[in-house]
Structures are given as C-alpha cells and as structure tokens.
Amino acid sequence: MAEREKEVHTVFKLSALKQLNSTKSVDNKLTLMQYLVKFVKENYRNAEKFLEELKDIDQAARTESSAIQADVNKIKGNLKKCENLINKAGESSKDRFKPIMEKFLEQATKRFEKLEKDLATALKQTDEIAVSFGEQKGR
C-alpha cells in the first residue's frame, strides 16, 4: 500500500502582512516587503500573473455574506408568498393565472434551490480560506 506524502503548510495571520513594511533589514536600507518583492521578481517571474488572478477580489471584498444571506431569505419569502397566492387561486378555464404561475413557481423553486446550494458552498469555502490564513470563520 502506497503511503501518501504529508504536505506541510505554513499558516500566518493576514494581520502579519502589515508588519512587512515596518520590519527593516540590518543595514536599514530595505523593508521586509521590499526584500520579498525583489526576491519574487528575481526568482519567480510568473508570480506577476498572481495579480491577474486577484482582479475581482476587490469587488468580492465589498460584499458582506450577511447581506447576501438576507437577499436569499427575501427571495425565499417571496416564493412562499407566490405559492400561497397560487394555492388560493381558483380553477377556471378562462383564467390562466394558476397553470402559468404553477409552472413559474416550479422553475423558480429549482433555481432558488441551486442558489441556496451555491451560497452554502461559497460560505463554506470562505470559511476554509479564512482558517487556512489563521483567521476565524464567518468574518
């Protein structure tokens, strides 16, 4: 049976990044941040692509998960109201409200269930990333 290699992960708190600019070299010419930038430019030329991968992070950082959850809950409530209206609607051959809205509700419910699942996945992944950087879940 083949043994799996154990991966070693180094974890640091994001707040530690603030200290990179204030930590100076012995000769007081470079900060730790300047040294790291120089080192990465010299030894990891493809690292600049990393910034391209982060282009949407600024927009994502502005969105709070509690606001998204509130919007999802509002949609859920509106779907429930729609369902109640459909159930109260009478059957009439002239009025096509009920059959049309039942079809709409079925499609909307499926899409909403996918939305809830996607939100749960996103929140879980956000927590996992936070923990990997030594931060608390749900922040």
Side-chain angles (χ1 to χ4, degrees), residues 82-100:
C82 185
E83 181 180 18
N84 291 339
L85 286 172
I86 292 169
N87 290 336
K88 289 179 184 176
E91 296 287 340
S92 170
S93 60
K94 293 179 183 178
D95 188 4
R96 299 196 14 92
F97 174 79
K98 191 167 185 170
I100 291 172

PDB file of all heavy atoms in Angstrom, residues 82-100:
ATOM      1  N   CYS A  82     -45.775  33.687  -3.249  1.00  0.00           N
ATOM      2  CA  CYS A  82     -46.248  33.301  -4.571  1.00  0.00           C
ATOM      3  C   CYS A  82     -46.993  31.958  -4.491  1.00  0.00           C
ATOM      4  O   CYS A  82     -48.074  31.795  -5.061  1.00  0.00           O
ATOM      5  CB  CYS A  82     -45.074  33.215  -5.534  1.00  0.00           C
ATOM      6  SG  CYS A  82     -45.513  32.900  -7.238  1.00  0.00           S
ATOM      7  N   GLU A  83     -46.417  31.028  -3.754  1.00  0.00           N
ATOM      8  CA  GLU A  83     -47.044  29.720  -3.584  1.00  0.00           C
ATOM      9  C   GLU A  83     -48.406  29.856  -2.899  1.00  0.00           C
ATOM     10  O   GLU A  83     -49.384  29.219  -3.315  1.00  0.00           O
ATOM     11  CB  GLU A  83     -46.128  28.809  -2.760  1.00  0.00           C
ATOM     12  CG  GLU A  83     -46.663  27.415  -2.549  1.00  0.00           C
ATOM     13  CD  GLU A  83     -45.732  26.540  -1.737  1.00  0.00           C
ATOM     14  OE1 GLU A  83     -44.837  27.083  -1.054  1.00  0.00           O
ATOM     15  OE2 GLU A  83     -45.912  25.316  -1.783  1.00  0.00           O
ATOM     16  N   ASN A  84     -48.500  30.695  -1.887  1.00  0.00           N
ATOM     17  CA  ASN A  84     -49.771  30.908  -1.190  1.00  0.00           C
ATOM     18  C   ASN A  84     -50.817  31.505  -2.125  1.00  0.00           C
ATOM     19  O   ASN A  84     -51.990  31.109  -2.086  1.00  0.00           O
ATOM     20  CB  ASN A  84     -49.576  31.797   0.036  1.00  0.00           C
ATOM     21  CG  ASN A  84     -48.791  31.108   1.132  1.00  0.00           C
ATOM     22  OD1 ASN A  84     -48.713  29.882   1.174  1.00  0.00           O
ATOM     23  ND2 ASN A  84     -48.166  31.887   1.997  1.00  0.00           N
ATOM     24  N   LEU A  85     -50.426  32.471  -2.945  1.00  0.00           N
ATOM     25  CA  LEU A  85     -51.354  33.076  -3.909  1.00  0.00           C
ATOM     26  C   LEU A  85     -51.855  32.051  -4.927  1.00  0.00           C
ATOM     27  O   LEU A  85     -53.038  32.036  -5.278  1.00  0.00           O
ATOM     28  CB  LEU A  85     -50.691  34.245  -4.634  1.00  0.00           C
ATOM     29  CG  LEU A  85     -50.501  35.525  -3.830  1.00  0.00           C
ATOM     30  CD1 LEU A  85     -49.663  36.526  -4.622  1.00  0.00           C
ATOM     31  CD2 LEU A  85     -51.852  36.129  -3.472  1.00  0.00           C
ATOM     32  N   ILE A  86     -50.960  31.206  -5.375  1.00  0.00           N
ATOM     33  CA  ILE A  86     -51.336  30.165  -6.341  1.00  0.00           C
ATOM     34  C   ILE A  86     -52.326  29.205  -5.700  1.00  0.00           C
ATOM     35  O   ILE A  86     -53.328  28.814  -6.311  1.00  0.00           O
ATOM     36  CB  ILE A  86     -50.092  29.418  -6.862  1.00  0.00           C
ATOM     37  CG1 ILE A  86     -49.234  30.356  -7.715  1.00  0.00           C
ATOM     38  CG2 ILE A  86     -50.487  28.183  -7.660  1.00  0.00           C
ATOM     39  CD1 ILE A  86     -47.864  29.806  -8.056  1.00  0.00           C
ATOM     40  N   ASN A  87     -52.076  28.823  -4.455  1.00  0.00           N
ATOM     41  CA  ASN A  87     -52.971  27.894  -3.767  1.00  0.00           C
ATOM     42  C   ASN A  87     -54.354  28.492  -3.529  1.00  0.00           C
ATOM     43  O   ASN A  87     -55.356  27.771  -3.504  1.00  0.00           O
ATOM     44  CB  ASN A  87     -52.356  27.437  -2.441  1.00  0.00           C
ATOM     45  CG  ASN A  87     -51.159  26.530  -2.657  1.00  0.00           C
ATOM     46  OD1 ASN A  87     -51.033  25.885  -3.698  1.00  0.00           O
ATOM     47  ND2 ASN A  87     -50.269  26.495  -1.687  1.00  0.00           N
ATOM     48  N   LYS A  88     -54.426  29.812  -3.362  1.00  0.00           N
ATOM     49  CA  LYS A  88     -55.704  30.481  -3.130  1.00  0.00           C
ATOM     50  C   LYS A  88     -56.473  30.716  -4.425  1.00  0.00           C
ATOM     51  O   LYS A  88     -57.677  30.933  -4.398  1.00  0.00           O
ATOM     52  CB  LYS A  88     -55.480  31.822  -2.423  1.00  0.00           C
ATOM     53  CG  LYS A  88     -55.047  31.688  -0.986  1.00  0.00           C
ATOM     54  CD  LYS A  88     -54.813  33.056  -0.370  1.00  0.00           C
ATOM     55  CE  LYS A  88     -54.290  32.922   1.050  1.00  0.00           C
ATOM     56  NZ  LYS A  88     -53.978  34.233   1.628  1.00  0.00           N
ATOM     57  N   ALA A  89     -55.758  30.694  -5.549  1.00  0.00           N
ATOM     58  CA  ALA A  89     -56.396  30.972  -6.836  1.00  0.00           C
ATOM     59  C   ALA A  89     -57.367  29.849  -7.195  1.00  0.00           C
ATOM     60  O   ALA A  89     -57.086  28.668  -6.987  1.00  0.00           O
ATOM     61  CB  ALA A  89     -55.345  31.123  -7.929  1.00  0.00           C
ATOM     62  N   GLY A  90     -58.488  30.236  -7.713  1.00  0.00           N
ATOM     63  CA  GLY A  90     -59.494  29.248  -8.108  1.00  0.00           C
ATOM     64  C   GLY A  90     -59.194  28.658  -9.474  1.00  0.00           C
ATOM     65  O   GLY A  90     -58.435  29.210 -10.270  1.00  0.00           O
ATOM     66  N   GLU A  91     -59.817  27.529  -9.736  1.00  0.00           N
ATOM     67  CA  GLU A  91     -59.693  26.871 -11.033  1.00  0.00           C
ATOM     68  C   GLU A  91     -60.728  27.464 -11.971  1.00  0.00           C
ATOM     69  O   GLU A  91     -61.916  27.526 -11.648  1.00  0.00           O
ATOM     70  CB  GLU A  91     -59.928  25.356 -10.893  1.00  0.00           C
ATOM     71  CG  GLU A  91     -58.918  24.630 -10.041  1.00  0.00           C
ATOM     72  CD  GLU A  91     -57.562  24.464 -10.719  1.00  0.00           C
ATOM     73  OE1 GLU A  91     -57.478  24.567 -11.945  1.00  0.00           O
ATOM     74  OE2 GLU A  91     -56.589  24.243  -9.990  1.00  0.00           O
ATOM     75  N   SER A  92     -60.292  27.944 -13.116  1.00  0.00           N
ATOM     76  CA  SER A  92     -61.204  28.498 -14.106  1.00  0.00           C
ATOM     77  C   SER A  92     -60.609  28.266 -15.482  1.00  0.00           C
ATOM     78  O   SER A  92     -59.408  28.441 -15.679  1.00  0.00           O
ATOM     79  CB  SER A  92     -61.409  30.000 -13.868  1.00  0.00           C
ATOM     80  OG  SER A  92     -62.102  30.570 -14.939  1.00  0.00           O
ATOM     81  N   SER A  93     -61.454  27.887 -16.407  1.00  0.00           N
ATOM     82  CA  SER A  93     -60.957  27.633 -17.764  1.00  0.00           C
ATOM     83  C   SER A  93     -60.562  28.933 -18.457  1.00  0.00           C
ATOM     84  O   SER A  93     -59.725  28.938 -19.341  1.00  0.00           O
ATOM     85  CB  SER A  93     -62.003  26.893 -18.582  1.00  0.00           C
ATOM     86  OG  SER A  93     -63.191  27.667 -18.666  1.00  0.00           O
ATOM     87  N   LYS A  94     -61.167  30.044 -18.036  1.00  0.00           N
ATOM     88  CA  LYS A  94     -60.863  31.338 -18.644  1.00  0.00           C
ATOM     89  C   LYS A  94     -59.620  31.989 -18.029  1.00  0.00           C
ATOM     90  O   LYS A  94     -58.904  32.708 -18.700  1.00  0.00           O
ATOM     91  CB  LYS A  94     -62.052  32.285 -18.489  1.00  0.00           C
ATOM     92  CG  LYS A  94     -63.255  31.845 -19.280  1.00  0.00           C
ATOM     93  CD  LYS A  94     -64.401  32.800 -19.085  1.00  0.00           C
ATOM     94  CE  LYS A  94     -65.629  32.291 -19.824  1.00  0.00           C
ATOM     95  NZ  LYS A  94     -66.771  33.156 -19.634  1.00  0.00           N
ATOM     96  N   ASP A  95     -59.389  31.719 -16.768  1.00  0.00           N
ATOM     97  CA  ASP A  95     -58.263  32.337 -16.060  1.00  0.00           C
ATOM     98  C   ASP A  95     -57.058  31.401 -16.111  1.00  0.00           C
ATOM     99  O   ASP A  95     -57.090  30.301 -15.574  1.00  0.00           O
ATOM    100  CB  ASP A  95     -58.648  32.627 -14.608  1.00  0.00           C
ATOM    101  CG  ASP A  95     -57.582  33.437 -13.890  1.00  0.00           C
ATOM    102  OD1 ASP A  95     -56.602  33.839 -14.523  1.00  0.00           O
ATOM    103  OD2 ASP A  95     -57.753  33.671 -12.674  1.00  0.00           O
ATOM    104  N   ARG A  96     -55.999  31.844 -16.757  1.00  0.00           N
ATOM    105  CA  ARG A  96     -54.801  31.001 -16.901  1.00  0.00           C
ATOM    106  C   ARG A  96     -53.748  31.317 -15.846  1.00  0.00           C
ATOM    107  O   ARG A  96     -52.644  30.825 -15.891  1.00  0.00           O
ATOM    108  CB  ARG A  96     -54.227  31.193 -18.303  1.00  0.00           C
ATOM    109  CG  ARG A  96     -55.224  30.769 -19.374  1.00  0.00           C
ATOM    110  CD  ARG A  96     -54.677  30.547 -20.754  1.00  0.00           C
ATOM    111  NE  ARG A  96     -53.266  30.432 -20.951  1.00  0.00           N
ATOM    112  CZ  ARG A  96     -52.568  29.280 -20.954  1.00  0.00           C
ATOM    113  NH1 ARG A  96     -53.186  28.154 -20.728  1.00  0.00           N
ATOM    114  NH2 ARG A  96     -51.282  29.290 -21.174  1.00  0.00           N
ATOM    115  N   PHE A  97     -54.108  32.122 -14.857  1.00  0.00           N
ATOM    116  CA  PHE A  97     -53.155  32.517 -13.811  1.00  0.00           C
ATOM    117  C   PHE A  97     -52.541  31.298 -13.127  1.00  0.00           C
ATOM    118  O   PHE A  97     -51.316  31.178 -13.035  1.00  0.00           O
ATOM    119  CB  PHE A  97     -53.838  33.414 -12.772  1.00  0.00           C
ATOM    120  CG  PHE A  97     -52.965  33.740 -11.598  1.00  0.00           C
ATOM    121  CD1 PHE A  97     -51.986  34.730 -11.681  1.00  0.00           C
ATOM    122  CD2 PHE A  97     -53.093  33.051 -10.386  1.00  0.00           C
ATOM    123  CE1 PHE A  97     -51.170  35.024 -10.598  1.00  0.00           C
ATOM    124  CE2 PHE A  97     -52.274  33.333  -9.304  1.00  0.00           C
ATOM    125  CZ  PHE A  97     -51.311  34.325  -9.410  1.00  0.00           C
ATOM    126  N   LYS A  98     -53.389  30.418 -12.644  1.00  0.00           N
ATOM    127  CA  LYS A  98     -52.892  29.292 -11.842  1.00  0.00           C
ATOM    128  C   LYS A  98     -51.948  28.374 -12.623  1.00  0.00           C
ATOM    129  O   LYS A  98     -50.835  28.097 -12.149  1.00  0.00           O
ATOM    130  CB  LYS A  98     -54.052  28.504 -11.239  1.00  0.00           C
ATOM    131  CG  LYS A  98     -53.605  27.502 -10.204  1.00  0.00           C
ATOM    132  CD  LYS A  98     -54.751  26.959  -9.393  1.00  0.00           C
ATOM    133  CE  LYS A  98     -54.221  26.064  -8.292  1.00  0.00           C
ATOM    134  NZ  LYS A  98     -55.249  25.693  -7.340  1.00  0.00           N
ATOM    135  N   PRO A  99     -52.298  27.886 -13.811  1.00  0.00           N
ATOM    136  CA  PRO A  99     -51.353  26.993 -14.508  1.00  0.00           C
ATOM    137  C   PRO A  99     -50.045  27.680 -14.904  1.00  0.00           C
ATOM    138  O   PRO A  99     -48.972  27.075 -14.830  1.00  0.00           O
ATOM    139  CB  PRO A  99     -52.126  26.518 -15.750  1.00  0.00           C
ATOM    140  CG  PRO A  99     -53.330  27.366 -15.856  1.00  0.00           C
ATOM    141  CD  PRO A  99     -53.566  28.009 -14.526  1.00  0.00           C
ATOM    142  N   ILE A 100     -50.135  28.941 -15.296  1.00  0.00           N
ATOM    143  CA  ILE A 100     -48.913  29.665 -15.684  1.00  0.00           C
ATOM    144  C   ILE A 100     -48.024  29.886 -14.463  1.00  0.00           C
ATOM    145  O   ILE A 100     -46.805  29.666 -14.502  1.00  0.00           O
ATOM    146  CB  ILE A 100     -49.265  31.003 -16.372  1.00  0.00           C
ATOM    147  CG1 ILE A 100     -49.886  30.723 -17.738  1.00  0.00           C
ATOM    148  CG2 ILE A 100     -48.028  31.888 -16.502  1.00  0.00           C
ATOM    149  CD1 ILE A 100     -50.450  31.938 -18.429  1.00  0.00           C
TER     150      ILE A 100
END
